[in-house]
Amino acid sequence: MGVLLGAPRVPGQAVRPAPDPCRGRGGTRVRGPAPLARRAAAEGLGTATLVAVVVGSGIQATELTRDSGVQLLANSLATVFGLGVLIALLGSVSGAHFNPAVTLAAWFTGRRADDAPTLRDVAVYVPAQIAGAIAGAVLVDAMFGKPLVRFSTHDRFAGHLWLGEVVATAGLVWLICGLARAGRAQLAPLLVASYIGAAYWFTSSTSFANPAVTIGRAFTDTFAGISPASVAPFIAAQLVGAALGLVLVAACFGRPASVTHDRAAAPTRPAEESALTS
């Protein structure tokens, strides 16, 4: 989710409205958006790096200590720092979704807006995110000398964990869209990463909150893994959570106001700096 960062107005210049990542791709760029292939590459690489941070820090933590609390602390801190950096780095290119739930939320809320993500964008972003997540998990296994593809045996098939995923994903979508509606989208790298770090600790599932990352983590039989049998319920819970997050946004902020503005000053579908998570 992006924001217009205090650009001074030239006398006589049309005012460009503050962008809303949950209606379209609001950003700070003056030029049009990057080509779809470049945005998809950014989504794939960003998601791969995010999974590498999550899985790699989990492996490192388990090799350094047997204390499960310290392991989770190390894993969550690495995720917070890595996610914040990735959102700041790639937000202006692709929107830094790294998360199909965020991409779908942005499309759904902006489907009647000219500057919103299109179904074509969704159809390209989501496979790129999933492929990136799998590649990130395989890369980390290679770095730590693990089998390149060994499906996780970490069973997470339980109702209370699914509820944790609903809560984690609802909060993420509520935060991302709410920041945009409140005119605080420039704080996304800090606040989205901070929320994910907190959700590691206050949700029973340790906050996957991301279908692509969930799939990627099934490909590594390590601390951060999830068994393939547990993947589908997690993804279903995340999608329910995303829908609930949109309900929370509507309840707190209402529908976004329609803004009419000068055609020459209007952005042509620039990218937002929304995120995703672990």
Side-chain angles (χ1 to χ4, degrees):
M1 84 194 126
V3 66
L4 187 60
L5 296 176
R9 183 187 176 193
V10 178
Q13 181 183 22
V15 178
R16 194 167 73 182
D20 180 351
C22 292
R23 282 193 60 185
R25 294 192 186 82
T28 63
R29 304 184 317 143
V30 175
R31 292 175 295 176
L36 181 56
R38 187 184 303 165
R39 287 184 275 134
E43 285 295 300
L45 290 170
T47 310
T49 305
L50 176 59
V51 171
V53 169
V54 173
V55 175
S57 61
I59 295 174
Q60 192 76 275
T62 56
E63 292 184 352
L64 292 175
T65 179
R66 294 184 179 180
D67 187 313
S68 58
V70 174
Q71 291 171 356
L72 185 60
L73 178 62
N75 194 211
S76 60
L77 285 176
T79 301
V80 167
F81 295 142
L83 180 58
V85 168
L86 288 169
I87 295 172
L89 176 65
L90 297 175
S92 63
V93 180
S94 68
H97 296 184
F98 315 142
N99 187 335
V102 172
T103 300
L104 288 169
W107 165 76
F108 181 80
T109 57
R111 62 195 183 283
R112 294 185 180 88
D114 292 338
D115 59 350
T118 65
L119 279 175
R120 180 169 177 253
D121 295 332
V122 173
V124 174
Y125 270 37
V126 171
Q129 292 159 352
I130 294 172
I134 296 171
V138 172
L139 174 62
V140 169
D141 281 342
M143 285 196 294
F144 283 90
K146 308 290 184 183
L148 293 188
V149 177
R150 175 179 289 176
F151 290 114
S152 176
T153 56
H154 193 160
D155 179 44
R156 300 178 190 263
F157 196 94
H160 68 282
L161 300 181
W162 306 336
L163 177 60
E165 282 301 287
V166 171
V167 171
T169 312
L172 177 63
V173 171
W174 187 23
L175 172 64
I176 289 172
C177 296
L179 284 174
R181 301 285 177 86
R184 297 289 185 270
Q186 70 272 25
L187 299 176
L190 173 64
L191 297 187
V192 172
S194 298
Y195 171 79
I196 291 299
Y200 257 84
W201 291 90
F202 79 78
T203 63
S204 57
S205 62
T206 66
S207 183
F208 284 50
N210 186 328
V213 169
T214 302
I215 293 171
R217 288 168 67 165
F219 283 77
T220 177
D221 191 17
T222 59
F223 175 81
I226 177 173
S227 67
S230 301
V231 168
F234 259 56
I235 292 176
Q238 290 156 2
L239 295 178
V240 170
L244 178 58
L246 293 177
V247 171
L248 294 173
V249 173
C252 293
F253 300 97
R255 294 175 61 86
S258 345
V259 179
T260 56
H261 51 281
D262 187 278
R263 180 179 297 178
T268 308
R269 293 175 50 207
E272 82 272 30
E273 291 180 3
S274 54
L276 121 139
T277 122
S278 67

